Amino acid sequence: TDYEYTIENLIYDLRTSISILILDGFEYMFPHRSMQEYFTALFINKLPTTKKNKAYNNLSSVLEESSADHSFNFWSLCYELD
C-alpha cells in the first residue's frame, strides 16, 4: 500500500502527536538526549563500512574529550545495532 504524506503533516505528527521533536526558535530538537543518540547510532549503522569506521574513529576521539561518561549509552546503542 502506498501512503501519501506531506512534510508538514509528518512534522506535525512528530511534534504534536508523539512529541518526538521540539521546535526551539527555528531549530528542531529532540526532547531527550537518548533519542538523539539512538538516531545517530541508527544513521551510522546504515553507512557503508568504510564510512562507518571513519565515523566511529572520529566520534571516539571527540566524545572521549567532551563527555564525562565517555557517552557509554551511545556506544551501547551502536554496539547493539551493529
Side-chain angles (χ1 to χ4, degrees), residues 8-65:
E8 292 79 16
N9 288 343
L10 177 62
I11 290 173
Y12 176 84
D13 285 345
L14 294 175
R15 285 184 59 207
T16 307
S17 301
I18 60 174
S19 300
I20 200 170
L21 287 178
I22 296 172
L23 181 61
D24 184 14
F26 295 108
E27 295 182 353
Y28 288 100
M29 306 171 89
F30 292 106
H32 195 274
R33 181 178 175 182
S34 62
M35 294 175 77
Q36 179 181 3
E37 291 172 336
Y38 170 76
F39 288 117
T40 302
L42 184 62
F43 174 79
I44 291 171
N45 178 259
K46 303 292 183 189
L47 291 172
T49 303
T50 55
K51 289 186 178 189
K52 184 188 299 189
N53 291 338
K54 186 175 181 178
Y56 282 148
N57 287 332
N58 290 339
L59 282 169
S60 65
S61 62
V62 169
L63 293 176
E64 187 174 326
E65 294 173 10

